[in-house]
Amino acid sequence: MRLAENLHRIGNDIVACYLVVTDEGVTVVDAGLAGHYRELEAELAGLGRTPADVRGVVLTHGDTDHLGFAERLRREHGTPVFVHGADAARARGEAKAHNSMGHAKIGATAGFLWYSARKGGLRTTYLSEVSEVAGGDVLDLPGAPRVMALPGHSPGSIAVHVPAVDAVFVGDGLTTRHVLTGRRGPAPAPFTDDPEQALASLDRLAEIDAKWVLPGHGTPWDGGVREAVRRVREAGASLG
């Protein structure tokens, strides 16, 4: 799915990951679920590219529904996979999340679980090797992605700002479609380790000037970062 020039999404509003496409190659942000690899291949083929053109995968955090095909790319093509140092052990399967589901509705939750199972979410392949990053790093990858620490959902959650495509990729720093309730619009994400810290991290996120706010779960948001953050806080207050 083409969102804008040089900016593509694979997956859907339940689980998504993104491609930044340049003449120098492709940067993938998050790797969704294992079954998204076929969609990756198809999207790249439509651009006249192959998985060998992916120069790096940047993970917004180390949860299983963001690891997806990352290890396959690393193993088959030598693609480096970048993750914040505080989530490196989680991405390698050495540490587990410490979160709770929070609010949930049967229909929406069943839909999330069904989609995850259909896309291989029950057979997570953890990373054998990762390249650790920290907040403030600018990676030598297509689009020159800049790492912003966004702890809360997990200790090593990050936002990935790519000015070249006027976008910030937020992983589970926020959601625009709550996978457990079906609620649409910017809101706090479920399965968050430290909800209070996650909301505090939004202060940092709001400093970014970008049109696109692209979450791991939900509809791409093109109304600007500050408005997205305002709505997340509003939604968080109503849930609290």
Side-chain angles (χ1 to χ4, degrees):
M1 176 183 179
R2 181 182 184 274
L3 299 178
E5 186 175 4
N6 300 329
L7 180 61
H8 295 250
R9 181 180 83 157
I10 59 175
N12 60 13
D13 289 358
I14 298 178
V15 180
C17 41
Y18 301 91
L19 282 62
V20 175
V21 183
T22 75
D23 292 341
E24 292 73 36
V26 179
T27 296
V28 173
V29 181
D30 282 331
L33 302 164
H36 284 134
Y37 191 78
R38 289 186 179 180
E39 295 180 38
L40 172 69
E41 290 180 310
E43 194 73 19
L44 290 170
L47 297 166
R49 308 292 183 95
T50 72
D53 292 308
V54 177
R55 302 294 178 239
V57 178
V58 186
L59 302 177
T60 59
H61 59 295
D63 284 351
T64 57
D65 54 348
H66 296 253
L67 302 181
F69 52 77
E71 174 65 7
R72 180 172 180 179
L73 275 177
R74 192 203 65 79
R75 185 177 63 247
E76 295 182 1
H77 300 283
T79 310
V81 180
F82 300 86
V83 65
H84 192 282
D87 265 27
R90 190 180 292 203
R92 291 191 298 260
E94 300 164 1
K96 302 299 181 183
H98 303 286
N99 52 45
S100 60
M101 290 178 61
H103 300 278
K105 294 183 178 180
I106 293 176
T109 301
F112 171 57
L113 295 175
W114 175 83
Y115 180 78
S116 295
R118 187 168 68 87
K119 288 292 184 180
L122 300 181
R123 57 178 193 275
T124 301
T125 301
Y126 290 99
L127 274 299
S128 298
E129 298 178 16
V130 296
S131 298
E132 296 186 14
V133 300
D137 289 352
V138 177
L139 306 182
D140 185 19
L141 292 174
R146 181 171 67 89
V147 175
M148 171 176 285
L150 205 68
H153 181 76
S154 68
S157 284
I158 62 171
V160 182
H161 183 206
V162 183
V165 291
D166 203 13
V168 58
F169 306 87
V170 296
D172 287 2
L174 61 86
T175 183
T176 58
R177 183 190 186 280
H178 196 293
V179 296
L180 301 183
T181 67
R183 183 190 186 280
R184 296 182 182 275
F191 301 113
T192 291
D193 285 13
D194 188 334
E196 185 174 333
Q197 186 182 38
L199 285 174
S201 289
L202 295 178
D203 290 341
R204 195 175 305 136
L205 183 65
E207 297 173 1
I208 294 177
D209 183 18
K211 171 184 176 181
W212 291 99
V213 178
L214 301 174
H217 310 280
T219 305
W221 172 267
D222 64 357
V225 182
R226 290 180 182 83
E227 179 61 13
V229 168
R230 186 190 71 78
R231 295 198 185 193
V232 173
R233 292 194 181 284
E234 186 177 77
S238 68
L239 292 174

